[in-house]
Amino acid sequence: SIMDKPPVTQAMIDAYDEYTHLTLDRRRFMERLTALAGSGAAAAAIAPLLAASSASAETIAADDQRLTAEDIVYGGSSGEMKGYLVRPAEAAAPLGSVIVIHENRGLNPHIRDVARRMALEGFIALAPDFLSPSGGTPANEDQARDMIGKLDPAVTAANAEASLQFLAKLDGATGKVGAIGFCWGGGLVNRFATQSPELKAGVAYYGAQPPAEDVPAIKAALMLHYAGLDERINAGIDAYRTALEAGGKTFEIHVYDGVNHAFNNDTSAARYDKAAADLAWQRTVEFLKKNLA
């Protein structure tokens, strides 16, 4: 029947994007979704397809024998940082390290899974909880988004730098550190690159761009992934490209046509795009291997 898989339209995806990034007003979002879907029942069926399901977050088991994974606490810029540290169980030589930066949902099961994927590619992966100063990521996504909106950007960037310094000195690590971030985390990778002379490589998935005047300070090589339908974020691409070119920076920009913001998040049925996600991941791994070698 039609209700088994209700049709998700671009207008519905846009409404969800506005709710999760701009208004944080769930009631208004459900009212819009009801109007677009035609009924409350249809809206109730569609909402979970737009949201992220923690049930499908584990593509790699938390206890995968190829990996060593642990929840850790380390020194942040002003207090303790919590994080999830994953590395290959058997590494003959020291490995490059990658900071995995979460979306505006905080350090959730999906981002832990991405850290495990990164470790399986031959890196030490650290997924910090940037909500550590606020007590850590809550289970409730709306609450997490609200808390992330209240973080001090300067403290957040300083905690990214503290994460880099932790990895730079870690046993079994080469000292070369890169970062990969998604959505809010992609924006943080961009901002972090303008402030960290030691960051070797930054990969930003659909992240907000930093101010053009900060771009000259960037030392890291950058790989910027954008979703073709993500008008809100894509509005900033041209100015960023111009500033990167003017500064003679090492960067590449990839725009994936016809896909939505969050196309990499495979727990979000309506927005995930496997072809784009696989291609972006392949490019990302090659880029990190080259720049952290």
Side-chain angles (χ1 to χ4, degrees):
S1 79
I2 187 83
M3 283 312 296
D4 289 346
K5 191 120 197 263
V8 176
T9 64
Q10 190 59 41
M12 294 171 183
I13 290 172
D14 291 346
Y16 180 77
D17 187 69
E18 188 177 301
Y19 147 58
T20 53
H21 294 92
L22 301 174
T23 68
L24 301 184
D25 184 341
R26 183 166 185 89
R27 207 180 88 190
R28 206 171 95 195
F29 162 65
M30 287 308 294
E31 285 169 1
R32 279 188 67 185
L33 191 57
T34 299
L36 290 166
S39 73
I46 288 166
L49 299 176
L50 294 165
S53 150
S54 56
S56 57
E58 277 198 7
T59 67
I60 297 158
D63 60 356
D64 189 300
Q65 295 303 295
R66 296 169 292 175
L67 300 171
T68 307
E70 55 184 332
D71 284 287
I72 62 165
V73 174
Y74 59 99
S77 67
S78 55
E80 288 187 338
M81 281 289 284
K82 298 174 199 162
Y84 180 60
L85 183 69
V86 197
R87 57 171 89 205
E90 293 169 29
L95 302 173
S97 305
V98 180
I99 305 167
V100 179
I101 306 182
H102 55 69
E103 302 171 315
N104 63 352
R105 304 176 155 96
L107 178 55
N108 63 8
H110 166 64
I111 290 297
R112 289 170 175 268
D113 194 64
V114 173
R116 291 193 291 272
R117 294 177 208 178
M118 193 52 79
L120 283 181
E121 301 287 359
F123 301 100
I124 295 170
L126 171 64
D129 185 347
F130 283 94
L131 283 172
S132 297
S134 317
T137 295
N140 180 303
E141 253 188 38
D142 284 337
Q143 194 186 342
R145 277 190 275 266
D146 186 52
M147 287 163 68
I148 278 180
K150 293 177 174 145
L151 286 175
D152 178 337
V155 171
T156 300
N159 279 328
E161 182 62 33
S163 304
L164 181 150
Q165 295 301 335
F166 169 78
L167 287 169
K169 301 178 186 79
L170 193 67
D171 280 349
T174 60
K176 290 186 177 175
V177 183
I180 177 174
F182 306 89
C183 172
W184 178 87
L188 179 52
V189 166
N190 283 324
R191 202 168 72 247
F192 181 38
T194 68
Q195 296 179 26
S196 179
E198 289 178 51
L199 183 70
K200 296 282 184 253
V203 181
Y205 279 73
Y206 25 82
Q209 299 82 4
E213 62 266 23
D214 295 346
V215 170
I218 293 175
K219 297 279 186 284
L222 296 177
M223 176 174 274
L224 311 170
H225 299 298
Y226 294 105
L229 300 174
D230 188 4
E231 291 174 9
R232 182 175 53 85
I233 290 292
N234 295 356
I237 294 177
D238 287 345
Y240 196 18
R241 182 191 279 115
T242 300
L244 288 164
E245 282 172 351
K249 304 306 176 186
T250 302
F251 73 98
E252 46 192 279
I253 293 176
H254 300 286
V255 179
Y256 300 81
D257 290 335
V259 302
N260 276 289
H261 183 86
F263 69 78
N264 184 72
N265 190 332
D266 44 11
T267 68
S268 177
R271 297 178 300 160
Y272 174 60
D273 187 282
K274 183 171 172 32
D278 288 352
L279 178 55
W281 185 256
Q282 177 195 328
R283 286 169 167 165
T284 294
V285 170
E286 285 172 11
F287 172 80
L288 290 171
K289 284 187 170 160
K290 182 175 80 183
N291 286 287
L292 299 178

